[in-house]
Amino acid sequence: MELKLVDSKSLFLCNFELMKSSSFLDKKLRFGLSGTHKLCSCRGVVLKASRSSASYDAASSVSKENFILDEFSCQKNGKNCSGLYLRDVRVLDASDDEYGGILINPQTLPSNPNIFASVLRESLSHWKMKGKKGVWLKLPVEKCDLVPIAVKEGFQYHHAERGYLMMTYWLPDDPCMLPSNASHQVGVGGFVINDKNEVLVVQEKHSAPDLSGLWKIPTGFILESEEIFTGIVREVKEETGIDTEFVEVMAFRHAHNVAFEKSDLFFVCLLRPLSTRIAVDDLEIQAAKWMPLVKFVEQPLIQADSMFKKVIDICIARLGKRYCGLSVHQLVSTFDGKLSSLYFNTVEDSDSNCKAN
């Protein structure tokens, strides 16, 4: 095997054969190469090579083409000697992200905890040497026994969903620059009013004692990858059976430490009813009805709460064309090429029926 070594002090060329076993290499570092291969590299640099006689019980979870050129020292016939050898580096199957980080493939993780611990440790060392930054480890539920091992190696919890736990590891010595978990939940409320000046209202089966007896507008949470304007239409349909059309976002509230120390964004939307027959969702809703706007506003709980009262005042002002909400416009940005929903005021639109003072 011909190997070229270059450093700042010397330049030399040596020829030698790498055998299948050597007395100075321990079992983990023995390797074999078929024939003679030409490599050109420097000490400590990752080399790419193929081999004919090697196998691991980690199977497909380990990349078998990573080697590191390193030094060894030994004694032969009472004399000190030194040389170079290729150290096999077992690395988890992973891909690079666009920020210089690593995305570990969750489908090929070793099922054996001992193998996972060994390969994970070696992978982290390998990636750090290559100058990688953040490491993302997605552990499916069926491999939850690997979580304590990752924690022991320094991984931190990032977020969890029904089917997996996401963990992260920051390799550089600099402060961690990985983004935090989602900080907000998004809720919506639908102000649905018909031609008779009646508001669609509900009483929930499960509500705080302070809200007992309150007739309120239908509310709910936006689902993952769901738009605000489609989410509120879905929620109203689920709770009351009424079909609606989104008109505008009237206002939104921003609050903190609402649930599990997360912040909350709540969007109040004006909707136009497309049907009249109510069909209550028995799981969530105690009752639903069309309620005259005047009686809705006169409820003591609404009159006593400045937030409730202000929202209703805004909706009434919109009905009188003294206020303009935010209508939805779907646009494609050249930055990411994706379709997005932009909500903005359309007072300058000649087709708009909204005329603000």
Side-chain angles (χ1 to χ4, degrees), residues 258-269:
V258 175
F260 304 104
E261 300 180 0
K262 297 296 182 181
S263 299
D264 179 89
L265 284 169
F266 183 79
F267 292 85
V268 180
C269 304

Side-chain angles (χ1 to χ4, degrees), residues 74-98:
C74 61
Q75 283 192 341
K76 187 176 182 181
N77 298 327
K79 295 182 179 180
N80 294 330
C81 60
S82 62
L84 301 170
Y85 69 94
L86 290 177
R87 178 163 60 88
D88 189 0
V89 179
R90 298 183 298 172
V91 180
L92 290 171
D93 181 24
S95 59
D96 296 339
D97 66 20
E98 58 184 313

Side-chain angles (χ1 to χ4, degrees), residues 189-193 199 217 250-251 268-270 293 296 308-323:
F191 187 81
V192 186
I193 188 163
V199 182
I217 61 176
M250 305 306 302
V268 180
C269 304
L270 177 64
L293 178 59
F296 175 66
F308 276 147
K309 192 173 184 303
K310 187 62 178 179
V311 168
I312 301 304
D313 288 344
I314 290 173
C315 292
I316 293 175
R318 174 62 181 88
L319 296 175
K321 298 183 180 181
R322 302 188 310 275
Y323 177 89

